[in-house]
Amino acid sequence: MERRTVLGAGLGMVGWWAAGQGPAWAMPGGRPLRDREVAAAQGLFTAGEYGHLRRALPILSARARAAQEAGPVGAGRAARVWALVSQLAVKDGDVALAAEFAAQAGEAARRSGRPVLLAAAARAAATPLRRTGRADQALQLLKDAHDELDAVATPSAEVLDASGMVALTAAYTAAQARQAAAADEFATWAEHSAQRLARSSTGVRRGGDLSVAQCTLYRVGIHRELGDVDRALAYAARLDAAVLPTPERRARAATDTARALLAADDVPAAFHQLQQVEQAAPQEARRPSVRALTAEAAARRPDLPGITAFARRTAPPWSRTA
């Protein structure tokens, strides 16, 4: 209980600077929020269908606000919604909104009483924290979440999945903070959880995220952040993106590989990976951070066949020229 109190208090702190009380577009949602609606919204996210998800959010958000006050089960559903909205805000490059919804996810997760949801909220909070120079606070949140899950004597597949994903997020956060030893330790913990999950009689739970391939994907970004580009590319070479379960994850693999290739000054190969991003999930290629990679590749090698057309195609509609 003490760990959960510390973790919950930390999650509450992440939103102290985020203005506003919630999205202005929330409107009455009618019937209660249901698990299948949350799952459908998560499915849109993992499919890279961000436009469809944004259109679904007004009613989903209103129902989540009502569910959060309706008891632990409803609060758990709301926590999943707020964590999802926080992730979507990250995709859009809106750090303040991501922080606000991560804080709401933490509040709802506390009401649910479920450590796996507190872990999801900690993961959501970590991104805006590290992007605003507070990686140490993010690492502490993630470690608290991991410790609580690790304390379970006989962890279920759900707990193993959550524990491993928290450790991967912590590893990437530590890498961005240039804490190489901590990054490797967290990544190793995640790999052990993935192997344990793979050996279990139930295997990876339906809808779970943790796998050996997921760990390899994170290693690409971890070692690139640490400046070890050769090791990052070695992990990228052994990763079969086809085994990753969703378009969003396959696009993430191509994005991280493109970043590593640009760091290695292999612009043609990086451009090929950016094309793979669009092939996996077209809306991923239009994200601000991915467009920045495209702009960098185009600036460094404007002579690459197709790169100008690609940059124009993946730019926002209002910025395109005839």
Side-chain angles (χ1 to χ4, degrees):
M1 179 62 71
E2 182 179 352
R3 284 196 192 98
R4 189 175 304 165
T5 301
V6 171
L7 176 60
L11 285 167
M13 290 175 63
V14 72
W16 69 269
W17 51 275
Q21 298 300 314
W25 34 254
M27 56 187 178
R31 57 183 173 75
L33 181 66
R34 299 174 183 176
D35 285 332
R36 67 170 179 264
E37 292 170 328
V38 180
Q42 291 173 325
L44 288 173
F45 182 87
T46 58
E49 295 288 348
Y50 307 130
H52 289 300
L53 178 56
R54 290 185 196 97
R55 288 191 288 275
L57 283 180
I59 291 177
L60 187 67
S61 175
R63 288 178 182 159
R65 292 185 187 284
Q68 187 164 329
E69 306 299 327
V73 173
R77 292 169 183 156
R80 291 162 60 197
V81 171
W82 303 142
L84 182 65
V85 179
S86 181
Q87 290 177 296
L88 184 62
V90 169
K91 294 286 188 184
D92 291 337
D94 193 333
V95 177
L97 193 63
E100 180 181 339
F101 278 105
Q104 290 189 34
E107 173 61 27
R110 285 195 299 275
R111 294 188 184 190
S112 78
R114 296 184 58 195
V116 294
L117 295 178
L118 278 168
R123 291 184 63 214
T127 300
L129 282 172
R130 67 182 182 235
R131 289 191 181 182
T132 52
R134 290 174 286 173
D136 288 344
Q137 186 179 341
L139 279 172
Q140 189 59 57
L141 282 175
L142 294 163
K143 187 177 186 306
D144 288 341
H146 184 270
D147 287 350
E148 179 152 352
L149 293 167
D150 200 44
V152 177
T154 308
S156 64
E158 182 182 40
V159 168
L160 284 173
D161 182 86
S163 175
M165 291 308 299
V166 163
L168 286 176
T169 304
Y172 188 73
T173 301
Q176 285 197 324
R178 300 295 190 271
Q179 298 180 27
D184 189 65
E185 183 177 29
F186 280 120
T188 300
W189 286 350
E191 288 157 358
H192 288 165
S193 293
Q195 292 161 5
R196 186 176 177 184
L197 188 58
R199 291 193 302 266
S200 71
S201 59
T202 55
V204 180
R205 70 183 180 91
R206 186 176 181 182
D209 296 318
L210 185 66
S211 67
V212 173
Q214 182 80 272
C215 293
T216 303
L217 166 55
Y218 267 81
R219 283 282 193 176
V220 177
I222 288 164
H223 293 295
R224 182 191 60 80
E225 289 287 349
L226 291 171
D228 191 346
V229 177
D230 288 342
R231 194 172 179 190
L233 289 174
Y235 275 103
R238 75 175 67 165
L239 176 62
D240 179 5
V243 307
L244 293 167
T246 68
E248 187 273 338
R249 288 289 86 187
R250 293 191 285 275
R252 171 66 182 266
T255 299
D256 283 1
T257 302
R259 287 194 176 102
L261 287 164
L262 283 173
D265 202 30
D266 191 344
V267 181
F271 176 46
H272 174 71
Q273 289 299 317
L274 290 169
Q275 292 172 302
Q276 294 302 303
V277 173
E278 186 183 37
Q279 182 175 338
Q283 292 184 44
E284 277 283 324
R286 293 164 175 77
R287 290 178 51 216
S289 61
V290 180
R291 293 202 313 269
L293 295 176
T294 299
E296 180 180 349
R300 288 164 64 175
R301 285 293 305 275
D303 59 316
L304 283 177
I307 197 166
T308 300
F310 180 83
R312 185 181 297 116
R313 184 170 66 251
T314 57
W318 60 86
S319 68
R320 297 175 190 164
T321 57

